[in-house]
Amino acid sequence: MSQPWDYIAKLVCIGDSGTGKSSLTIRLCEGRFSSSHDVTIGVEFGSRIVPVGPPASQALNLESNTNSHNRPFSSPVTSDTSEEPIVSGLPNPPRKMAESQKKMKLSLWDTAGQETYKSITRSYFRGASGALLVFDITRPSTFTSCTQWLHDLRQIAEEGIVVILVGNKSDLTGNEPERSERHVTRREAEEWCRMNNVVRYVETSAKSGDGVERAFLEVAERIYRNIEAGRYDLNDRRSGVKGFGATGGGGTSVPTTVTLGLNDAMRRGGNGWAGNCC
């Protein structure tokens, strides 16, 4: 039986309360949306195995402008595998075997956005290799708060953490400007990314599912490229990334979401779990 994943990476979803962080995690892990999700107390956890590297990465167009509009996925380009005619009586050279698709298990930590739990949730920033900084495009105050969230993240997390900005609730923008509830424009968000050295801005709707997979895949693919460039020590849990062999091959369970109570978060946040990537 082949291994279920090649790498495991710790991601955190951060941002103000009510921006839809939990809904994004549930949409990715369980493929559903709940309009009556309870406010997160402490942290919630979920996981999902996603493809990284070629051929799947060809649909992401990461080489394009880092803050360009969201693009729909396209099918990975595949080469023609039909037989070529023999030339001059000589056999064709052996074909290069297609590269197997790499897989990454995303260990997702959805943190509470309330100021009350600030000391608890910040402890989970340690050992994260990626972060989705989420705001609500209909609430300007949540966008303004992103600057402080990013500052706190970079103060605590490892240097070089991959961060993308996510504008959630795009379903409320509407097709007609007079009915749109948008209060943060795409241009404002992209300019903020440029000023704060954030690699990408993506708009999502946890309700419809639009853009959700792309947001997480953007982070996963950039982490994978950092792995390929040798920027992580896969045996050091502080890096937020591990290889399959380094963890003993765990992680074969079905992706799930587990709610940790406030007492669990307080007990675990300061030591064991906060420093691990999974």
Side-chain angles (χ1 to χ4, degrees), residues 136-139 169-186 203:
D136 179 348
I137 63 175
T138 70
R139 294 164 55 205
K169 304 188 182 181
S170 62
D171 54 285
L172 298 179
T173 59
N175 295 324
E176 301 178 13
E178 61 273 12
R179 295 186 178 182
S180 174
E181 298 181 41
R182 178 192 289 273
H183 288 284
V184 180
T185 67
R186 184 185 295 274
E203 291 194 347

Side-chain angles (χ1 to χ4, degrees), residues 54-56 58 74-82 95 98-99 101:
Q58 295 171 349
S74 58
S75 300
V77 177
T78 57
S79 58
D80 181 14
T81 58
S82 60
R95 288 183 177 274
E99 185 177 358
Q101 180 66 63

Side-chain angles (χ1 to χ4, degrees), residues 50-120:
V50 300
V52 290
S57 61
Q58 295 171 349
L60 287 174
N61 298 318
L62 291 190
E63 282 71 25
S64 61
N65 187 336
T66 56
N67 290 315
S68 59
H69 289 194
N70 299 347
R71 293 180 173 85
F73 287 109
S74 58
S75 300
V77 177
T78 57
S79 58
D80 181 14
T81 58
S82 60
E83 290 293 330
E84 296 177 358
I86 296 177
V87 180
S88 302
L90 298 176
N92 294 327
R95 288 183 177 274
K96 183 179 180 180
M97 295 296 292
E99 185 177 358
S100 60
Q101 180 66 63
K102 298 288 187 181
K103 296 178 183 178
M104 179 179 291
K105 181 178 179 181
L106 303 181
S107 175
L108 308 172
W109 296 87
D110 166 30
T111 64
Q114 300 98 316
E115 187 69 20
T116 306
Y117 308 117
K118 180 177 180 178
S119 61
I120 300 171

Side-chain angles (χ1 to χ4, degrees), residues 152-170:
D152 291 348
L153 177 69
R154 287 176 170 167
Q155 286 286 103
I156 299 171
E158 294 297 307
E159 184 178 359
I161 183 172
V162 176
V163 184
I164 70 167
L165 181 67
V166 178
N168 193 33
K169 304 188 182 181
S170 62

